[in-house]
């Protein structure tokens, strides 16, 4: 039975039998992997705490027929305890890992792995507001998955901006000719903030007023829900 190692971030876990868990992980090199961690629910488990959601670890696995088996786990970054100690951070992290779970498959994505690890690190250190960190992560993760929004030129015909009509189905901001009657309009400050969140311009995001952040958050949520095809359950619990 082949053995392999990889760096992983734990997305979610579920109980299996009396002492085991199934761990869903996003790996650096092997995409999304579901594996059994035997005995981790026993108090004597050596690596149970290293396989909790939001943790980053170096794991060794045996390749199985339907599920792989985790044989070793060494902690790389213990973000879990810092995140779960703060409820807003916990709800945001839950939305992040649920998004990563939906966007990634077995073929893997190093970019998605690095983006998620970086977002969890930033969240655990309270570098930016939890809501801003989530909105930036969602826009960038969707962009990496092939759904990059346009916040400058028209997303439908390519006409150069600035425009103000937002149509999530079209992929972002559209010109007046492409906008359907009744399309919501965004003010320039909100459009600028959305662009900053997409590019990671944190200096600008910190100076925006609450009402601008609230409007941008609504756009990000609508854009995410549309492109994922079904709602993020964790997003309902995020405090806005």
């Amino acid at each position: 039975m082949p053995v392999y190692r990889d760096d992983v971030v734990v997305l979610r876990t579920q109980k299996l039998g009396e002492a085991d868990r199934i761990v869903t992980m996003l790996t650096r090199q092997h995409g999304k992997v579901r594996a059994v961690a035997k005995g981790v629910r026993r108090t004597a488990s050596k690596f149970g705490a290293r396989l909790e959601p939001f943790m980053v670890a170096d794991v060794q696995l045996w390749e199985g027929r339907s599920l792989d088996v985790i044989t070793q786990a060494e902690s790389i970054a213990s973000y879990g305890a810092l995140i779960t100690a703060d409820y807003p951070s916990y709800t945001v992290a839950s939305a992040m890992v649920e998004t990563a779970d939906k966007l990634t498959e077995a073929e893997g994505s190093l970019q998605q792995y690095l983006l998620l690890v970086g977002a969890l690190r930033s969240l655990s250190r309270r570098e930016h507001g939890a809501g801003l960190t989530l909105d930036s992560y969602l826009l960038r993760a969707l962009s990496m998955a092939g759904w990059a929004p346009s916040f400058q030129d028209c997303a439908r015909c390519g006409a150069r901006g600035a425009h103000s009509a937002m149509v999530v189905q079209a992929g972002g901001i559209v010109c007046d000719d492409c906008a359907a009657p009744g399309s919501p309009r965004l003010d320039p400050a909100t459009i600028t903030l959305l662009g900053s969140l997409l590019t990671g311009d944190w200096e600008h995001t910190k100076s925006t007023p609450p009402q601008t952040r609230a409007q941008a958050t609504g756009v990000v949520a609508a854009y995410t829900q549309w492109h994922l095809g079904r709602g993020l359950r964790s997003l309902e619990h995020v405090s806005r």
Side-chain angles (χ1 to χ4, degrees), residues 60-122:
Q60 178 175 286
L61 304 101
W62 282 350
E63 187 176 334
R65 291 183 179 178
S66 58
L67 291 172
D68 295 349
V69 178
I70 301 171
T71 58
Q72 293 181 16
E74 298 295 334
S75 178
I76 295 176
S78 301
Y79 301 137
L82 294 172
I83 289 173
T84 55
D86 178 64
Y87 183 72
S89 297
Y90 170 75
T91 58
V92 162
S94 297
M96 287 178 180
V97 296
E98 185 181 354
T99 300
D101 196 1
K102 293 180 183 297
L103 289 177
T104 54
E105 297 299 336
E107 66 271 13
S109 171
L110 175 60
Q111 285 185 317
Q112 291 284 3
Y113 170 85
L114 294 175
L115 177 66
L116 179 59
V117 171
L120 292 173
R121 179 191 306 116
S122 177

Side-chain angles (χ1 to χ4, degrees), residues 47-64:
F47 54 82
R50 302 167 193 165
L51 297 173
E52 294 292 336
F54 321 135
M55 302 294 281
V56 183
D58 169 19
V59 300
Q60 178 175 286
L61 304 101
W62 282 350
E63 187 176 334

Side-chain angles (χ1 to χ4, degrees), residues 147-162:
W147 296 310
S150 174
F151 297 128
Q152 182 63 35
D153 299 336
C154 177
R156 181 164 287 165
C157 72
R160 298 187 66 83

Side-chain angles (χ1 to χ4, degrees), residues 126-145:
R126 315 287 192 264
E127 292 178 349
H128 316 292
L132 289 174
T133 302
L134 174 60
D135 288 341
S136 180
Y137 169 78
L138 292 174
L139 289 176
R140 297 166 83 174
L142 289 167
S143 296
M144 290 177 183

Side-chain angles (χ1 to χ4, degrees), residues 8 13 32 48 71 76 80 88 95 102 111 113 137 142 162 164 186 192 197 206 211 213 223 228:
V8 309
T13 65
K32 189 168 65 178
T71 58
I76 295 176
K102 293 180 183 297
Q111 285 185 317
Y113 170 85
Y137 169 78
L142 289 167
S164 63
L186 304 180
T192 300
L197 291 169
K206 294 176 182 178
Q211 62 269 25
R213 295 186 185 185
Y223 194 82
L228 289 183

